[in-house]
Amino acid sequence: MLQSAGHNVTALDMAACGINLEPIEKVCSFYNYSKPLLEFLENYPPDQKVILVGHSLGGLNLAYAMEYYPHKIIAAFFVTAYMTDTTHMRSYVIEKSLSGPFPDTRNKTICSPGDQEVAYYFGPAFLKESLYTLSPESDLELELLLERYDSLYLNDLSNKTKPFTQERYGSVPRCFITSQNDSAINITYQKFMIANYPPQPVLQVNNSDHMVMLSQPRNLTNAILQCASYYCSNTTTS
């Protein structure tokens, strides 16, 4: 839909996700998890800038990109995503949102002692009741076929002694798109993150679950385009 509106779109899989073949056992830090995005920005033409869009845990991928390459980013759009600040440790918004173990989920320890992380494999009940509550059944079935272990990298994030900086991460404009019926990062917590480190603008997609791009793709596209027009009517973007 964004391409149909005339925009250049690049969809990246982070390390050990989607079609990225890196094994989760070798991805032991959030920086390494974010490498596909960071390498994309490193090699992006110096005379052009991008808009970044991140969903869920992808909000932290945006934060790393904003910290390392703020000069290449027009704005970052957080779609019901973890949005950190420049005061607390990097794991803050994830740890504050967790209320207990994920139900119906297998986990395993990855990486060497000292760098150990927990990797999760979400079960069908958790996916249906927390992530795909309003999405088409066919998308849930596809997720069950393609799912891989993933990690929140809380050990790595909580051991980073410095928060993201105001001079770099904080210098990049942010838009937040809320999802009204998200059961994973609920609307109350989305509003907490917005109040904790206010972005501009804030838009809402209604009748949408955590997988807002599947439950309300057209309305999400419209919200992204509204954010884009807010920031870059006269700027070359991708």
Side-chain angles (χ1 to χ4, degrees):
M1 292 182 184
L2 291 171
Q3 287 178 324
S4 298
H7 296 275
N8 297 321
V9 178
T10 302
L12 298 172
D13 286 319
M14 296 300 101
C17 294
I19 62 172
N20 185 294
L21 299 180
E22 187 81 10
I24 188 72
E25 291 80 7
K26 293 186 178 180
V27 182
C28 298
S29 70
F30 209 95
Y31 177 88
N32 287 336
Y33 175 60
S34 303
K35 263 191 174 180
L37 173 58
L38 300 178
E39 290 174 351
F40 173 82
L41 290 172
E42 173 68 25
N43 296 313
Y44 204 73
D47 60 336
Q48 297 184 39
K49 292 187 176 184
V50 301
I51 287 174
L52 298 181
V53 181
H55 166 256
S56 192
L57 185 62
L60 271 295
N61 298 119
L62 298 190
Y64 269 76
M66 294 156 72
E67 184 71 21
Y68 282 92
Y69 298 101
H71 57 288
K72 292 191 172 186
I73 305 168
I74 292 172
F77 300 170
F78 293 74
V79 180
T80 188
Y82 286 117
M83 183 175 66
T84 189
D85 55 32
T86 58
T87 304
H88 297 89
M89 60 185 179
R90 299 180 180 192
S91 60
Y92 173 68
V93 289
I94 300 178
E95 291 180 326
K96 189 173 177 62
S97 73
L98 299 179
S99 57
F102 301 114
D104 189 35
T105 295
R106 304 197 303 269
N107 60 64
K108 64 180 181 180
T109 301
I110 59 172
C111 304
S112 59
D115 294 319
Q116 288 186 340
E117 299 288 351
V118 177
Y120 302 95
Y121 190 95
F122 298 125
F126 176 77
L127 291 171
K128 183 174 180 62
E129 295 168 8
S130 297
L131 305 184
Y132 290 78
T133 54
L134 298 174
S135 295
E137 189 73 22
S138 58
D139 288 315
L140 173 58
E141 292 173 357
L142 183 61
E143 167 65 18
L144 292 171
L145 288 173
L146 300 177
E147 186 181 7
R148 298 167 63 182
Y149 273 93
D150 202 357
S151 178
L152 299 175
Y153 298 98
L154 286 177
N155 183 48
D156 175 61
L157 291 171
S158 62
N159 285 331
K160 298 296 184 186
T161 56
K162 295 182 180 180
F164 293 106
T165 64
Q166 181 62 34
E167 294 75 19
R168 299 182 69 83
Y169 167 72
S171 69
V172 180
R174 290 165 293 114
C175 167
F176 198 101
I177 300 173
T178 66
S179 180
Q180 181 188 37
N181 301 110
D182 189 340
S183 296
I185 304 176
N186 64 51
I187 190 66
T188 299
Y189 194 72
Q190 292 173 60
K191 290 180 178 179
F192 161 77
M193 291 189 290
I194 291 166
N196 179 59
Y197 197 54
Q200 183 68 32
V202 176
L203 303 175
Q204 178 161 300
V205 177
N206 296 321
N207 303 312
S208 53
D209 60 15
H210 185 67
M211 306 303 291
V212 59
M213 71 292 289
L214 302 176
S215 56
Q216 289 291 343
R218 187 171 299 279
N219 289 341
L220 174 60
T221 298
N222 290 339
I224 290 172
L225 291 174
Q226 287 183 56
C227 286
S229 66
Y230 183 89
Y231 282 114
C232 59
S233 58
N234 297 311
T235 308
T236 301
T237 65
S238 288

